[in-house]
Amino acid sequence: MADFKLTYATMFNPPEELHTGFDKAVEKLKKNLGREYGMIINGKDVMADEKFDDHSPVNTDWVLAKMQRGSAKHAQEALAAARAAFPKWSRTPWQERVKLLRKAAGLIEERIFDLGAAMALEVGKNRMESLGDVQETADLIYYSCYQMEKNDGYIVEMGKDPLVGYDARNVSVLRPYGVWLVVSPFNFPFALTGGPSGAALVAGNTLVIKPATDTAWIVRLLAECFRDAGLPDGVVNFVTGPGSTLGQALVDSPEVNGVTFTGSFDVGMKMYQDFAKGKYVRPVILELGGKNPAIVSKHADLERATIGIVRSAFGLQGQKCSAASRVIVEEPVYDELIGRLREATEKLAIGDPTDRATYLGPVINKSSYNDFKNFTEEISQGGGKFLTGGHVKTGDGFDKGYFCEPTFVTDLPFGHRLWQYEMFLPITTIGKVQSMDEAMKIANSVNYGLTAGFYGSPEETDWFFDQIEAGVTYANRPQGATTGAWPGFQPFGGWKGSGSSGKNAGGHYYVPLYMHEQIRTLVK
Ligand code: NAP
Ligand code: MG
């Protein structure tokens, strides 16, 4: 495995050790399901009066863990613990923080199989996607450490004032804001909790983490990596419970100095507005939804386009913010492309995501499963045709989970609302256009601007990069038309309704978002 580096682009052909390690971990984990886990506040396990069972979407009879239904009171306690830990942590030399965070990332890597197995059972991700999410988390943390070092702690000597008779030194320093809130989604519960957490912590902030209720267990296991790495008590606090109560109490608190929210547009926009009701403006990093187009020109390599589009449409059952949920094809290659897409999709295996052969596991919960039924019905009524799929899976092995067929839709008029709406399911609409200009107009005609893919000639790719309104863009990539970004290679973030900071995670400009600048002028 020495030469192999796991990323979302390399995961299609992993060495055998990855499979055997994963299989062993699943076997071991399945014998140990159903334990109770606390929240972590000021380094201690904290139990709430109310609990909830965390069921697997693969088979809802499987209770993975018993978790705490925390309340507004726990939100206050966690914030108080983070506040108390801030003075010391923020004044800990950044080199020391880097050391501790590298240790946490190292623990994540050491535990990758156990964590990947838990992820597959809780999220329903296939094994390579699960291992990928865990490795990406370690890499995001390493990347923030690297940026801190490369920028020498963000301490910069400025010019000297031209003062006659005085010697003045001017230094710019970036300093942490204080208590940072990280609210994360179910679909990349590890990377989208650990990535922002790593950046906030290396910058010197202390944290309160609130995971999605569907993925409370796996994020608890992440919080344990920070704890076990030796981060001081109170630096990372972890609370679980409903977004609408515990989450809202966190957002409404004046004790929060900054937020990173990754999730849906509606929840994120509401959070942005609620957070703005504080006494002054505080930073809000939002990473929101997507409605990502893959554009295919008549000059495209259709083999590459097919592989890339199928992977991005149906990886993680279409529940990626970066999923290729719209395919826009130039007329001369339309028939051939949809034939190829059908053929490739029919080969995808659906089932238990821990099985080696599985590409699609279940969708996350009953509500998403019901959405699938409703959207497919709406598509039929709106004139759409199912090139593939269109139904939930029934029968042996499927009846206790939330399995949906990978569904490509053709003939749905571009004016239909589902060309605009993020369904967040394995449903991708395909449309035909007469020119590349028409394709681009449609591609940009949504509220989102997260990722985008293109297949065409080299001359066309410059035009694509220049014209497309999106934060992460790919041309002629078979590893994924719109998905598969990796820290340090493809920093990840969105334009328009897909994000707020204009700077991508896992990139050059990310860590400074977690600090404010102070200029220090000292006259000798
Ligand atoms: P979601 O429903 O918006 O929930 C995200 C998080 O917000 C959860 O932890 C949720 O907790 C919490 N929450 C809900 N209401 C809240 C409130 N009033 N105050 C504070 N927190 C609240 O999103 P999701 O279904 O988990 O994830 C899917 C969405 O995330 C999609 O739209 C996807 O595109 C987006 N996403 C974006 C990116 C990106 O990088 N741009 C990456 C991944 C996913 P509960 O679970 O307890 O409700
Ligand atoms: Mg669950």
Side-chain angles (χ1 to χ4, degrees), residues 52-254:
F52 65 94
D53 283 341
D54 186 345
H55 296 270
S56 174
V58 183
N59 180 330
T60 52
D61 288 348
W62 299 345
V63 176
L64 305 174
K66 189 183 274 300
M67 305 299 300
Q68 311 302 316
R69 191 181 299 278
S71 64
K73 177 181 86 106
H74 298 109
Q76 310 313 340
E77 285 173 17
L79 290 168
R83 176 66 57 204
F86 179 69
K88 184 142 182 249
W89 180 248
S90 60
R91 290 179 178 86
T92 300
W94 63 264
Q95 293 88 342
E96 190 60 31
R97 292 200 299 264
V98 161
K99 213 192 268 169
L100 283 167
L101 285 159
R102 286 215 168 106
K103 203 161 160 209
L107 280 181
I108 290 169
E109 287 185 303
E110 263 174 42
R111 300 175 185 178
I112 187 166
F113 292 120
D114 294 335
L115 295 169
M119 173 92 68
L121 291 176
E122 195 183 38
V123 184
K125 286 190 193 212
N126 73 31
R127 59 171 60 189
M128 293 315 298
E129 294 271 8
S130 291
L131 294 171
D133 191 339
V134 177
Q135 184 61 53
E136 183 188 6
T137 310
D139 283 13
L140 282 165
I141 297 171
Y142 285 134
Y143 198 78
S144 286
C145 292
Y146 158 75
Q147 283 295 333
M148 202 71 187
E149 268 175 355
K150 187 177 149 205
N151 291 287
D152 220 355
Y154 295 92
I155 300 163
V156 178
E157 193 78 33
M158 305 302 292
K160 278 183 180 259
D161 300 347
L163 301 176
V164 178
Y166 291 93
D167 182 14
R169 186 180 172 213
N170 303 315
V171 181
S172 157
V173 293
L174 292 189
R175 302 187 64 188
Y177 281 98
V179 174
W180 204 274
L181 172 63
V182 173
V183 180
S184 57
F186 78 84
N187 66 338
F188 285 84
F190 232 69
L192 298 178
T193 311
S197 295
L201 289 168
V202 84
N205 301 280
T206 53
L207 282 188
V208 175
I209 291 172
K210 147 73 183 115
T213 297
D214 282 317
T215 52
W217 179 40
I218 187 77
V219 182
R220 156 80 201 205
L221 302 181
L222 172 66
E224 288 178 10
C225 293
F226 286 123
R227 188 192 62 192
D228 297 349
L231 270 79
D233 290 351
V235 170
V236 176
N237 302 279
F238 164 76
V239 288
T240 50
S244 54
T245 54
L246 168 122
Q248 190 65 42
L250 290 165
V251 173
D252 291 338
S253 170

Side-chain angles (χ1 to χ4, degrees), residues 12 301-314 337 340-341 344 348 359 408 455 477-483:
F12 303 102
D301 175 334
L302 295 186
E303 191 180 331
R304 277 196 197 188
T306 302
I307 302 172
I309 289 168
V310 169
R311 283 177 173 166
S312 291
F314 302 130
L337 182 74
R340 284 172 179 256
L341 290 174
L348 298 176
Y359 191 70
F408 274 127
Y455 297 92
R477 183 167 178 266
Q479 291 80 4
T482 60
T483 54

Side-chain angles (χ1 to χ4, degrees), residues 429-443:
T429 51
I430 308 176
K432 192 192 295 182
V433 291
Q434 300 305 322
S435 71
M436 282 293 93
D437 286 335
E438 187 189 354
M440 188 56 74
K441 206 165 149 218
I442 291 167

Side-chain angles (χ1 to χ4, degrees), residues 241-286:
S244 54
T245 54
L246 168 122
Q248 190 65 42
L250 290 165
V251 173
D252 291 338
S253 170
E255 280 301 308
V256 176
N257 299 110
V259 180
T260 304
F261 169 82
T262 312
S264 61
F265 177 82
D266 289 348
V267 173
M269 280 302 276
K270 179 176 182 304
M271 188 177 290
Y272 178 75
Q273 285 153 0
D274 290 347
F275 203 60
K277 292 179 187 146
K279 279 201 281 190
Y280 47 79
V281 176
R282 294 162 293 168
V284 187
I285 302 173
L286 299 176

